[in-house]
């Protein structure tokens, strides 16, 4: 097909701030997980679809299937929609208790983005 460019599950983007390998980042309405560390303004490949473990809001319980949002201020995943502020990035695929110190959650990235 003449118009096909690429699969789209990994995109070449510009890091909007310094990101560590495996950390989430937001470029406009595109959420991605960095495949390598990148400095602010550097090129970085970002995974947009798949299942990943990401940093989450401390002491927040997650249930399987819960909508997961990206809080670009804290650079953490959360179940709080915060109208207009947080971007929907996927759903939880593992339950996480709400006890202090549980700071990683498993997320199925949808690749669909909200404005």
């Amino acid at each position: 097909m003449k118009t096909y460019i690429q699969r789209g599950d990994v995109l070449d983007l510009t890091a909007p701030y310094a990101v560590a390998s495996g950390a989430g980042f937001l470029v406009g309405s595109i959420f991605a997980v960095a495949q390598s560390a990148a400095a602010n303004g550097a090129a970085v490949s970002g995974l947009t679809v798949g299942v990943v473990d990401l940093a989450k809001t401390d002491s927040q319980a997650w249930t399987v299937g819960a909508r997961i949002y990206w809080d670009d201020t804290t650079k953490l995943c959360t179940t709080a929609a915060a109208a207009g502020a947080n971007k929907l990035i996927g759903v939880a695929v593992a339950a996480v208790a709400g006890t202090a110190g549980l700071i990683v959650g498993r997320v199925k990235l949808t690749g669909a983005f909200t404005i």
Side-chain angles (χ1 to χ4, degrees), residues 16-42:
Y17 37 78
V19 293
S21 177
F25 65 99
L26 189 66
V27 176
S29 288
I30 300 173
F31 178 79
V33 177
Q35 292 194 311
S36 62
N40 182 16

Side-chain angles (χ1 to χ4, degrees), residues 4 8 19 21-22 40 42 50 59 67-69 81 83 93 106:
Y4 180 81
V19 293
S21 177
N40 182 16
S59 301
R67 290 180 181 184
I68 303 300
Y69 299 85
V93 293
R106 187 155 293 162

Side-chain angles (χ1 to χ4, degrees), residues 1 7-10 23 30 42 51 64-65 68 74 76 79 87-88 94 114:
M1 172 177 33
R7 285 180 44 143
D9 53 343
V10 176
I30 300 173
V51 177
V64 174
I68 303 300
T74 64
L76 296 172
T79 56
K87 302 288 187 186
L88 179 64
T114 58

